[in-house]
Amino acid sequence: MNVLGLFNYWIVVILMMAGFYVVIAQENMIKKLVGLNVFQVAVFVFYISMSKIDGATAPILGDEFEVYANPLPHVLILTAIVVGVATTALGLALIVRIRDAYDTVEDDEIQRIEETEA
Amino acid sequence: MAATAIAIVRSRKLFAAVMLSGIFSLIAAVFYVHLTAVDVAFTEAAVGAGISTLLFLATLALTHTSTEEPHKPVRPLPLLIVVVTGAVLIYGTLDMPAYGDPEAPPNTHVIPRYINESGTEVGVPNIVTSVLASYRGYDTLGETVVIFTAGIGVLVLLGRGRRRWRPGLKSKNEDDEPGRGAEA
């Protein structure tokens, strides 16, 4: 089996797990969102690397080209990037609101405040 | 790229983490160009590296977060979960088609039709554009709906109710909102 041909997937897995670790281990919510972004980019890289074909050019039609990269993942990821930013904006707005209510953006401190109030 | 990701994980300053995520997006964009996905690279550089970083910085400014976090040791349980998940995913990749394989399943189904016919059917030389706007037009419509909803959500969350609470932050709020309109 061609192990080198799977190298791109391993990079994706490493990036994905780095983002995942930030999301579940960090207390700071802004940091969590940064981690979520890293995770997201890892998924994008996964899709785009599947669309790569050896010796292919960018999928723009021209007379001198024969082989084109797969355009469908490009389209899907184009959509996903923009949607990703929209969700990030929503998450950040929520963080601003949380900080208004609790005066902190640290997960554990909010937990403590909740417990003392209850 | 992996190095930047690990730097993000290890960085304790929030500002540094946000800046590193911008750099991370930019490197991703360069990588997309290498993978011949020029449209995606363009969007990632503009939206991922530009607007995202801007939004993060705006939030940092609005929340006045202390940028220096106390040092936290590596937490064993999350690390274990991450390592196990990563190992399972790597095991899963063993069945994936090799990088750049023209016979891989994702490259053999609808794609030949898009490549061969879109020039005459849609008339736009850029295949990505014709798929985005014509063959998958409903997808794009759905995308705009999502962005619209997110925009409304942001406006509701940061809108009038908040200003009544904290009149001091009013002007900052108004600076923030036009940026969100532009991204839609």
Side-chain angles (χ1 to χ4, degrees), chain A residues 34-53:
Chain A
V34 172
L36 208 59
N37 263 0
V38 171
F39 193 97
Q40 211 174 25
V41 171
V43 176
F44 298 163
V45 171
F46 174 64
Y47 268 70
I48 298 294
S49 69
M50 277 201 296
S51 76
K52 166 82 176 171
I53 296 173

Side-chain angles (χ1 to χ4, degrees), chain A residues 4 10 17 20 34-35 47 54 67 69 79-80 88 93 95 97 109 114:
Chain A
L4 214 61
W10 297 345
M17 288 308 112
F20 189 33
V34 172
Y47 268 70
D54 282 332
V67 196
T79 312
T88 305
I95 290 176
R97 242 357 238 275
E109 284 175 31
E114 287 272 274

Side-chain angles (χ1 to χ4, degrees), chain B residues 119-176:
Chain B
T120 49
E121 279 184 349
V122 185
V124 182
N126 190 335
I127 304 173
V128 173
T129 309
S130 53
V131 175
L132 183 78
S134 177
Y135 294 108
R136 298 195 138 259
Y138 280 115
D139 253 17
T140 311
L141 181 68
E143 173 200 344
T144 36
V145 170
V146 169
I147 296 166
F148 182 64
T149 320
I152 291 177
V154 169
L155 287 182
V156 167
L157 282 169
L158 300 179
R160 272 176 48 229
R162 183 160 183 275
R163 269 178 220 157
R164 231 179 294 125
W165 281 15
R166 296 193 151 207
L169 287 175
K170 188 177 168 187
S171 57
K172 259 181 190 166
N173 253 343
E174 277 161 356
D175 285 347
D176 213 44

Side-chain angles (χ1 to χ4, degrees), chain A residues 47-111:
Chain A
Y47 268 70
I48 298 294
S49 69
M50 277 201 296
S51 76
K52 166 82 176 171
I53 296 173
D54 282 332
T57 62
I60 299 172
L61 294 172
D63 291 336
E64 61 268 45
F65 303 119
E66 283 292 319
V67 196
Y68 298 104
N70 184 347
L72 192 56
H74 298 188
V75 174
L76 298 178
I77 294 313
L78 220 54
T79 312
I81 289 176
V82 180
V83 169
V85 170
T87 48
T88 305
L90 199 62
L92 290 171
L94 273 172
I95 290 176
V96 171
R97 242 357 238 275
I98 288 170
R99 133 94 204 188
D100 271 358
Y102 291 96
D103 227 33
T104 177
V105 290
E106 304 282 330
D107 224 6
D108 45 351
E109 284 175 31
I110 290 171
Q111 197 101 35

Side-chain angles (χ1 to χ4, degrees), chain B residues 54-135:
Chain B
L54 210 68
L55 287 173
F56 274 115
L57 288 179
T59 315
L60 281 186
L62 274 176
T63 53
H64 313 283
T65 317
S66 63
T67 48
E68 194 80 43
E69 286 177 32
H71 182 73
K72 284 173 187 140
V74 175
R75 297 175 49 190
L77 182 64
L79 194 68
L80 183 74
I81 295 173
V82 163
V83 168
V84 169
T85 320
V88 170
L89 283 176
I90 285 187
Y91 175 70
T93 62
L94 296 182
D95 283 337
M96 294 294 289
Y99 173 79
D101 178 10
E103 298 301 317
N107 300 335
T108 50
H109 280 293
V110 218
I111 309 310
R113 184 193 152 93
Y114 285 159
I115 289 174
N116 295 327
E117 307 293 331
S118 74
T120 49
E121 279 184 349
V122 185
V124 182
N126 190 335
I127 304 173
V128 173
T129 309
S130 53
V131 175
L132 183 78
S134 177
Y135 294 108

